[in-house]
Each structure stands twice: as structure tokens, then as C-alpha cells.
Amino acid sequence: MGKRKNPTEDEHLLSVGEIEEKVEKEHSKENKNLGAEEGERKEAERELKENVSALEKRFSTKIEFI
Amino acid sequence: MANENNKTREQLSWVKGLLNNLPLLKWVKKYSADRILPDNKIAEGFGIRITPDSISIGDTGMAKMLVTGATFAGEEHTRFNAKHLFETLKEIGNEAVLIVTKGNDKTGAELVLQYNDSVVVLASMPKTDGSGRYG
């Protein structure tokens, strides 16, 4: 049987403050991603409205999707 | 019973055509199937000749539309080679604005890509005869 490794010897244990900082960072990254996705979705909705309305005007018809 | 079998075969044949339609599958994978139109009236309005199996489907924002099993049969002014456009966009990116110059009936128009403070001019495809028609 080999010598059992003591995790505190070669692994850096994070302090509570460091863990909180990491969690905070991850949350802010996620929030940023969600914000970007929301922005893209709104932009796509605006584009859809504009383009559909232009097509409806051009062909004097109501456009609906399946 | 034979009639039902025939009907099923017809339906499956239609589905098979759909599954073999690579441009349509790629389109749906990229933009989803949410912009399928119930008919091809808009496509016809653009001068596109359709078939009974044609499907009209837009991208997420209806900025572009794919019509399967179709041919453009409307009036045309100038043709451009998509290969040249693709090569140019690969080099300059997709932030450019595409401009079709006014041109004239003899020479056709030119395609201009304006990006930042630079411009790329793409020549039109040559017409096959003096009447101004393409081959």
C-alpha cells in the first residue's frame, strides 16, 4: 500500500471569500450571456415584424406561418 | 386496401423527397422550421415558378426565404456569379453592403460591395446574344 496523499499538501483549498468571488464571476458571466441572448431575440423579433410588414404591403396580403 | 397502400406510398414518397432535400434540412437546422408558409403565393409573386412539392420557408427574421423545387422565371436585368460573391465575402467578411448599380440594357449592372472605406466591384455574367438574354 502506498502512502495516502494528504489533499492539503498539493491541492490549493479555496477560502470562502475566493469561492464567493468565483461564484459571483460565474453568475455575472451567465447574466451577460442571458442578456446577449435576450438582445438577439428582440432584434430578431423586430426584424421579423419589419420584413413581414414589408411583404404584406408589397403583396397586399396577410402573412401567417404554419 | 390497395388504395390505402398507394396513399401511404405517396405520402412516404413525399416525406422521402423532403428528407433528401439537403438545402431545406440545412436551412431548418440553422433557422428552425418556424417560418414555413402555408402556400407559395409570395414566391410566385416574386416571379418564381414552383412545383406541387415546393415549400416556402423564411429564416428567423424573414429576411430571406428558401423556395424548394423552384426556378426563377421572372423578368431579369443582370446575372452575377455566386462563386465570385462567395469568394469576396470570404475575404472581406459579411459586414459589407451589397449595391446593384443602375447599369444599362447592353452591359447590365455591376455589383458593388461597400465595406468600411473600401469597395469591391463584381462584373456581371456575359449575355449570350445581342438580345440581352442569358443562356
Side-chain angles (χ1 to χ4, degrees):
Chain A
M1 287 278 270
K3 194 185 158 196
R4 201 174 159 200
K5 242 191 202 173
N6 182 353
T8 53
E9 278 176 11
D10 44 13
E11 281 176 27
H12 174 61
L13 293 180
L14 299 174
S15 69
V16 173
E18 283 173 320
I19 292 170
E20 278 175 352
E21 200 180 305
K22 273 197 162 200
V23 169
E24 183 64 33
K25 234 184 221 174
E26 282 303 311
H27 278 174
S28 107
K29 213 194 281 175
E30 272 173 30
N31 284 342
K32 226 182 240 178
N33 286 344
L34 283 177
E37 274 173 28
E38 177 68 8
E40 273 173 29
R41 196 182 56 77
K42 276 192 180 158
E43 173 65 19
E45 266 174 25
R46 190 193 53 77
E47 193 187 41
L48 177 66
K49 234 181 241 177
E50 270 179 21
N51 290 329
V52 167
S53 144
L55 283 172
E56 285 178 340
K57 261 186 208 158
R58 177 171 177 160
F59 296 107
S60 310
T61 182
K62 182 102 190 88
I63 293 175
E64 275 165 20
F65 303 103
I66 292 174
Chain B
M1 189 70 180
N3 270 351
E4 267 179 35
N5 275 346
N6 279 344
K7 206 176 167 190
T8 307
R9 279 183 79 90
E10 269 173 32
Q11 283 170 344
L12 282 176
S13 159
W14 190 80
V15 171
K16 187 178 161 185
L18 208 61
L19 293 174
N20 273 328
N21 194 328
L22 205 54
L24 181 65
L25 292 183
K26 280 186 176 177
W27 189 276
V28 170
K29 192 180 169 196
K30 187 164 174 63
Y31 303 115
S32 93
D34 288 345
R35 301 286 166 254
I36 285 191
L37 292 159
D39 54 43
N40 298 294
K41 276 181 193 153
I42 292 179
E44 286 179 298
F46 282 120
I48 294 167
R49 192 189 301 126
I50 53 152
T51 59
D53 287 341
S54 289
I55 290 173
S56 298
I57 179 169
D59 67 348
T60 321
M62 272 309 273
K64 42 192 180 289
M65 187 171 72
L66 169 73
V67 186
T68 65
T71 320
F72 178 72
E75 261 187 79
E76 60 181 90
H77 185 265
T78 310
R79 285 191 180 198
F80 298 96
N81 195 324
K83 189 182 149 205
H84 298 151
L85 180 61
F86 181 69
E87 281 171 356
T88 309
L89 289 176
K90 253 197 339 194
E91 297 306 322
I92 68 171
N94 58 8
E95 292 302 316
V97 176
L98 211 58
I99 302 161
V100 182
T101 66
K102 208 166 179 190
N104 62 50
D105 286 341
K106 274 187 187 164
T107 61
E110 289 86 32
L111 203 56
V112 173
L113 283 108
Q114 173 80 55
Y115 71 108
N116 300 328
D117 59 351
S118 300
V119 160
V120 175
V121 182
L122 297 183
S124 56
M125 285 170 70
K127 289 179 178 175
T128 51
D129 59 25
S131 68
R133 286 201 184 126
Y134 292 95

